[in-house]
Amino acid sequence: MAKPESRKELLVAARTEYDKVWSLINSLPDQGESGNFDFQIPEQNVRDVLVHLATWQQMYLKWSSANLEGHHVRFLPRPYTWQDYAALNKHILAEHQDVSLTDAKTAFEESHAAIIHQVEDLINEQLFIKGFYKWTGSTDLGAYATAITYGNYVWAVKILRKFKREARSTTRA
């Protein structure tokens, strides 16, 4: 699927990839959802992937909602910048180790629904015209919404497919 360039394309892409995330999670072997990945990434299991997705979506929602209401808010929490967002990802995972898989699923469902609702409430120009909002800098709001939904979902699908392949080969051995 090509990168979305309109409100309609964003909604279709986000929903399609979101469904793929859930389809993969639901197709894991019985122990799969709670198993750990055997490959080297900061996220070690399905819960960590969902925490990553939900937390970034919550940051996006806090930022976009506040700014849409006229209150200037940074996207990334201090002291993080776009140059060191990998450190933020590690912090997010460390901070959420006590979150259950069930709570991570709920947080992801709720943050996804909130972003979809926000995108549905905006018009194409608000989302995809660079400079429409000064607070989005040199890009447009749609690029952020695309990255936080479709882009992150593509990443999650890749990780979950790899995990599913490995879990399948382990159960056969």
Side-chain angles (χ1 to χ4, degrees):
M1 182 175 287
K3 182 180 169 198
E5 295 182 10
S6 71
R7 178 181 164 274
K8 181 180 179 180
E9 289 175 5
L10 172 56
L11 290 168
V12 168
R15 288 175 174 142
T16 300
E17 293 303 313
Y18 175 82
D19 289 345
K20 286 180 186 178
V21 169
W22 283 116
S23 177
L24 278 162
I25 291 171
N26 292 331
S27 71
L28 291 172
D30 292 338
Q31 75 284 7
E33 281 189 17
S34 59
N36 285 333
F37 301 158
D38 289 334
F39 44 93
Q40 292 300 107
I41 63 168
E43 295 76 11
Q44 292 299 300
N45 50 47
V46 172
R47 184 214 51 215
D48 287 354
V49 169
L50 295 175
V51 160
H52 175 100
L53 295 171
T55 303
W56 275 91
Q57 289 180 338
Q58 291 159 3
M59 284 189 297
Y60 165 86
L61 286 163
K62 179 181 176 185
W63 169 76
S64 61
S65 297
N67 280 289
L68 284 167
E69 293 173 5
H71 309 289
H72 178 70
V73 173
R74 291 179 85 228
F75 190 108
L76 298 177
R78 292 196 189 282
Y80 300 101
T81 67
W82 290 111
Q83 287 71 38
D84 64 354
Y85 72 89
L88 173 58
N89 284 334
K90 288 179 183 176
H91 175 77
I92 289 167
L93 291 176
E95 193 175 76
H96 290 87
Q97 287 304 298
D98 293 340
V99 172
S100 70
L101 176 60
T102 301
D103 289 345
K105 286 179 175 181
T106 300
F108 176 51
E109 289 171 339
E110 290 174 354
S111 60
H112 169 80
I115 290 175
I116 293 300
H117 179 73
Q118 183 189 75
V119 169
E120 288 173 337
D121 283 350
L122 298 171
I123 61 172
N124 220 36
E125 291 77 10
Q126 290 173 292
L127 288 164
F128 289 98
I129 291 182
K130 289 181 182 177
F132 191 91
Y133 297 113
K134 200 176 224 179
W135 46 271
T136 60
S138 62
T139 190
D140 53 76
L141 183 58
Y144 283 96
T146 297
I148 226 70
T149 57
Y150 169 76
N152 273 353
Y153 298 168
V154 167
W155 164 82
V157 164
K158 179 180 166 185
I159 301 236
L160 294 169
R161 280 186 179 145
K162 184 174 182 175
F163 178 53
K164 183 177 177 180
R165 280 192 307 272
E166 288 186 3
R168 201 179 302 138
S169 68
T170 302
T171 56
R172 287 186 204 156

